[in-house]
Amino acid sequence: MSKTDTDNSREQEDLGAAGSQLSTAPQEEPAGLPGLGVIGWARWFWRQLTSMRVALLLLLLLSLGAIPGSLIPQTGADASKVEDFRAAHTTLAPVYDRLGLFHVYSSVWFSAIYILLFVSLIGCIVPRTWQFVVQLRGRPPAAPKRLTRLPAYTTWRTEADPEQVREAALALLKKRRFRAHVAGDAVAAEKGYLRELGNLIFHVALIVLLVAFASGQLYKSDGTKLMVEGDGFANALPMYDDFKSGSLFRTDDLVPFSFDLKDFRGTYEVSGPNKGTPRTYEAKIRYSEGAYGGEKPTTVKVNEPLKIGDSKVYLVSHGYAPVITVRDGKGEVVYHDAVPLLPLDGNVSSQGVVKVMDGYRDAGGKKEQLGFQAFFVPTFDGRSGTMLSQFPALLNPLLAVNAYHGDLGVDAGNPQSVYQLDKSHMKEFKDSRGNLLKKLLKPGDTLTLPNGAGSITFDKDIKEWAGFEIVQEPGGGWALGGAVAAIFGLAGSLFIQRRRVWVRAVRGADGVTVVEMAGLGRSESAKVPEELGDLAGRLYDRAPGAPDTGAGSDAGPAESPDPQAVPAEGAEK
């Protein structure tokens, strides 16, 4: 090997040391299969799993795996939609079952990706954190022998002593918040450590997000409750109309609280192209925390839930509940209650069922059950020619009912919907023409049943109901904190640039001090030349250039240094 080759090799090693540890990213090893048996294969697999490219690949797979969970009905969210999908897609449904696409987030393949990503992140963060701590406790490396090889470089001559130049450079760099120290005949400085800290924060935040997501899925609960004005609710499992929970959820985990719905108010646009569009939905309630907490008034609005501990009470739906009174043939009241009806359109045209299950006897004294199908419109307009509401507010309410008697089927023990009428064991009440008995009722009107069978009255009092969704997600706060931390960490790792600066001051053969300054950044986006030029200009003010004593030239100060005055061929980037 020639002397030139040897010198170039040493220079490359020197520059490599100068640019070392500008990042905590693990160094890539040459690709190749291990040859050390089981231990070698295990070490190779671990290194592949904890590499950044594998972590990014797993994160991409996790995102792609979540797509079916958004597009395909999930048993954990709505089991009825899953059954409807199976009935409509007899060919695809068995395939989806085998792939676990009806329960994506609890499937084996999704859990495997999730756990591998979790392990990969931890395996990547631990060594990088330790390396970052070591770097914080250490000092910037000494200057390379030839600073001219670095991407940003400048030099000038000064009459100041080398020690004075180094002291001035050290003070200047520390003032600019560089970590700096004197190493031999040069000052070594470094800045931008927060870049690596942001990178680590981003990775730790991803782990926090994964843990929060997992705990939220395992310990969450989600239930709904329909409440008519005046009703009360206690946060206990029997009080819910519908309830879903995570696999590790226990009933004791429910946050203890209760509330009463005092009043509901909705306002709507009364004119223009948006006529009938809701403007405000407000549910005025009184709630108490714990078993013995005092009552507090509050208002729950759309997207403004009531927050109690880890639970949130959302206002999700609204409708009307006409007050119905049913009497038997003797005039005795056998039913008196507000009946919630389900909306069918945006103007709250609603339908439902009134079931009289106990206490009714026909004209002959025989026990029977009554069923009434009800259709309600809050604003009826006879000119429209249809039994559909023209506006969602109570401007001209009308109730259409028809009547049945017999056996409702509730005594058989089979579950029934409160909004549907099983007419398989029911008989129609007939009018004078032999048709199904039905009538349009205004508030205060009564429909009299034939043969002294009683009556049904549409009372003038029309209540409103509100649907609430009570959600309990223990990991919600951690997930939000992790997301915010991830954003700030990612911003720090992208916009903060880590760079190093060296200032060498040595006395030349003619007794004049030669000052050299060079900079090196971790990435090409770092504005090292601009920053080095500013630093060189300020240091030049403290150690000005020496007069040019060359032959045939006038004596005068040297020009202000240019950070790229010397070409940087061969400089590493």
Side-chain angles (χ1 to χ4, degrees):
M1 181 181 293
S2 65
K3 182 178 179 181
T4 303
D5 294 337
T6 304
D7 292 341
N8 289 336
S9 177
R10 290 178 179 176
E11 289 173 2
Q12 294 296 334
E13 293 178 0
D14 193 25
L15 287 176
S20 65
Q21 296 184 349
L22 269 174
S23 170
T24 58
Q27 296 182 355
E28 296 290 340
E29 296 186 356
L33 296 179
L36 301 177
V38 176
I39 297 178
W41 276 101
R43 184 181 293 112
W44 177 84
F45 177 78
W46 175 255
R47 288 175 179 173
Q48 298 304 312
L49 180 61
T50 56
S51 65
M52 183 59 63
R53 59 177 176 269
V54 172
L56 293 175
L57 177 61
L58 290 172
L59 189 60
L60 175 63
L61 290 177
L62 192 71
S63 302
L64 294 176
I67 294 177
S70 303
L71 301 179
I72 300 174
Q74 301 293 294
T75 53
D78 195 333
S80 61
K81 287 187 177 181
V82 174
E83 295 302 323
D84 294 340
F85 186 91
R86 285 195 174 102
H89 304 82
T90 55
T91 303
L92 278 178
V95 178
Y96 285 3
D97 276 323
R98 292 190 187 95
L99 297 177
L101 297 183
F102 289 125
H103 49 91
V104 168
Y105 304 112
S106 59
S107 62
V108 175
W109 58 269
F110 190 86
S111 300
I113 298 173
Y114 191 91
I115 295 173
L116 285 175
L117 177 59
F118 188 80
V119 174
S120 178
L121 288 174
I122 293 179
C124 182
I125 288 174
V126 172
R128 294 185 69 156
T129 302
W130 175 250
Q131 186 176 351
F132 181 63
V133 172
V134 172
Q135 291 182 22
L136 286 178
R137 297 179 62 182
R139 288 186 171 186
K145 292 181 180 180
R146 294 186 61 182
L147 293 178
T148 56
R149 307 281 295 186
L150 296 181
Y153 173 81
T154 188
T155 183
W156 73 93
R157 292 154 53 88
T158 181
E159 294 181 342
D161 293 334
E163 293 78 8
Q164 294 177 348
V165 175
R166 288 193 288 268
E167 290 177 1
L170 183 65
L172 174 62
L173 291 169
K174 286 186 175 181
K175 185 177 180 181
R176 291 296 186 91
R177 292 177 298 179
F178 278 82
R179 291 180 58 196
H181 71 105
V182 177
D185 58 0
V187 176
E190 187 170 359
K191 190 177 183 180
Y193 285 89
L194 289 181
R195 176 189 179 91
E196 299 304 325
L197 180 61
N199 199 358
L200 292 174
I201 290 176
F202 172 73
H203 286 81
V204 173
L206 286 182
I207 293 181
V208 173
L209 280 173
L210 290 175
V211 174
F213 177 77
S215 63
Q217 292 297 313
L218 293 174
Y219 293 96
K220 73 173 183 179
S221 66
D222 188 346
T224 58
K225 179 63 178 179
L226 187 149
M227 298 177 63
V228 180
E229 292 172 326
D231 288 350
F233 171 82
N235 194 24
L237 196 58
M239 296 293 293
Y240 284 93
D241 297 330
D242 181 53
F243 188 83
K244 300 184 293 291
S245 63
S247 57
L248 298 182
F249 175 83
R250 299 179 301 171
T251 55
D252 295 339
D253 296 331
L254 287 172
V255 178
F257 68 89
S258 60
F259 66 91
D260 299 329
L261 176 60
K262 296 301 182 181
D263 185 39
F264 181 91
R265 286 290 181 269
T267 59
Y268 310 90
E269 294 288 346
V270 296
S271 61
N274 296 323
K275 180 180 179 181
T277 302
R279 297 179 61 186
T280 60
Y281 278 158
E282 298 180 351
K284 295 183 178 180
I285 66 173
R286 294 186 65 87
Y287 72 99
S288 61
E289 301 181 37
Y292 306 101
E295 287 192 346
K296 305 175 185 177
T298 189
T299 301
V300 180
K301 302 178 182 179
V302 177
N303 297 325
E304 296 183 17
L306 169 64
K307 300 178 182 179
I308 304 176
D310 289 333
S311 291
K312 294 182 181 179
V313 181
Y314 292 91
L315 176 63
V316 295
S317 56
H318 153 259
Y320 292 101
V323 178
I324 304 297
T325 300
V326 179
R327 293 178 172 84
D328 60 13
K330 297 180 179 180
E332 300 287 339
V333 176
V334 294
Y335 182 90
H336 178 75
D337 202 359
V339 182
L341 304 179
L342 296 181
L344 300 175
D345 56 30
N347 287 325
V348 203
S349 303
S350 311
Q351 69 176 6
V353 172
V354 180
K355 298 181 181 180
V356 182
M357 295 179 285
D358 299 310
Y360 173 77
R361 294 178 182 270
D362 61 11
K366 179 182 176 181
K367 287 186 177 181
E368 264 192 325
Q369 293 176 334
L370 300 179
F372 302 90
Q373 290 181 324
F375 192 89
F376 175 78
V377 290
T379 301
F380 175 73
D381 185 359
R383 295 174 299 178
S384 65
T386 60
M387 184 60 180
L388 292 174
S389 179
Q390 304 301 308
F391 195 75
L394 291 172
L395 301 182
N396 184 25
L398 192 69
L399 181 69
V401 295
N402 51 40
Y404 298 83
H405 64 100
D407 183 8
L408 292 171
V410 294
D411 297 332
N414 297 323
Q416 283 189 4
S417 171
V418 296
Y419 303 105
Q420 294 180 347
L421 182 64
D422 182 4
K423 295 179 286 187
S424 57
H425 301 285
M426 303 289 287
K427 296 181 180 180
E428 300 176 349
F429 280 106
K430 304 290 185 176
D431 58 14
S432 58
R433 298 180 180 180
N435 298 322
L436 172 65
L437 181 66
K438 54 186 176 180
K439 186 177 181 180
L440 298 178
L441 304 177
K442 293 182 178 180
D445 289 353
T446 298
L447 169 63
T448 302
L449 302 178
N451 303 322
S455 64
I456 176 173
T457 301
F458 175 25
D459 293 358
K460 294 184 178 181
D461 183 17
I462 302 176
K463 295 186 177 182
E464 298 186 58
W465 61 261
F468 295 94
E469 183 177 11
I470 297 91
V471 179
Q472 187 168 323
E473 295 178 332
W478 285 99
L480 177 60
V484 173
I487 293 173
F488 280 101
L490 183 61
S493 65
L494 291 177
F495 297 109
I496 298 176
Q497 300 296 336
R498 192 169 176 184
R499 60 274 192 200
R500 286 173 179 164
V501 173
W502 292 274
V503 181
R504 174 175 286 144
V506 295
R507 195 176 298 277
D510 58 355
V512 179
T513 301
V514 178
V515 181
E516 292 182 291
M517 292 187 68
L520 179 65
R522 181 177 182 271
S523 62
E524 295 182 359
S525 61
K527 297 181 179 180
V528 177
E530 292 84 346
E531 186 173 29
L532 185 68
D534 179 60
L535 291 171
R538 294 184 180 276
L539 184 59
Y540 186 85
D541 292 339
R542 302 184 185 185
D548 187 359
T549 58
S553 63
D554 296 332
E559 294 182 359
S560 180
D562 180 358
Q564 292 180 321
V566 177
E569 292 90 350
E572 292 187 358
K573 296 184 180 181

